[in-house]
Amino acid sequence: MRRGHARTLDVAHWPKKDPVSLDEDSHWELLHQCLTDTDLPLDLRGAGAILLLLGQHLTRIAALTTHAVTTLGENTFLTLDLTPSPCPDPWPDC
């Protein structure tokens, strides 16, 4: 444009929409469904639980492999970055 080879170009700015969030009751209801609804596929239940419990972005969850879950004795760990985090024991009613 400075050399006269192009015209001025105005690009409209599209403002970001306000993020949509869940109320606390809906959050816990969805988490309970992820932990207990055996009609849902296991990968969907696991991804939903990681999203709702740990707030991980879906792109990071989708990139997880089976190597992200390890066991040592009776303890299970989930590695999201470099440090394995212990997974809680299952609740008796789940």
Side-chain angles (χ1 to χ4, degrees), residues 6-84:
R7 291 183 273 171
T8 302
L9 177 64
D10 291 323
V11 178
H13 172 71
W14 294 92
K16 289 184 179 180
K17 294 182 179 182
D18 290 334
V20 177
S21 62
L22 295 172
D23 61 72
E24 189 173 345
D25 290 336
S26 297
H27 182 99
W28 288 113
E29 184 179 314
L30 285 171
L31 179 59
H32 185 264
Q33 185 178 9
C34 288
L35 297 175
T36 61
D37 189 350
T38 56
D39 290 336
L40 291 174
L42 185 57
D43 58 344
L44 178 66
R45 292 174 58 199
I50 293 170
L51 173 72
L52 293 165
L53 280 172
L54 305 174
Q56 292 295 305
H57 292 278
L58 292 176
T59 53
R60 289 190 79 185
I61 296 170
L64 290 175
T65 66
T66 56
H67 298 290
V69 178
T70 56
T71 56
L72 181 60
E74 295 197 14
N75 298 318
T76 303
F77 297 88
L78 176 64
T79 304
L80 295 173
D81 193 13
L82 299 175
T83 306

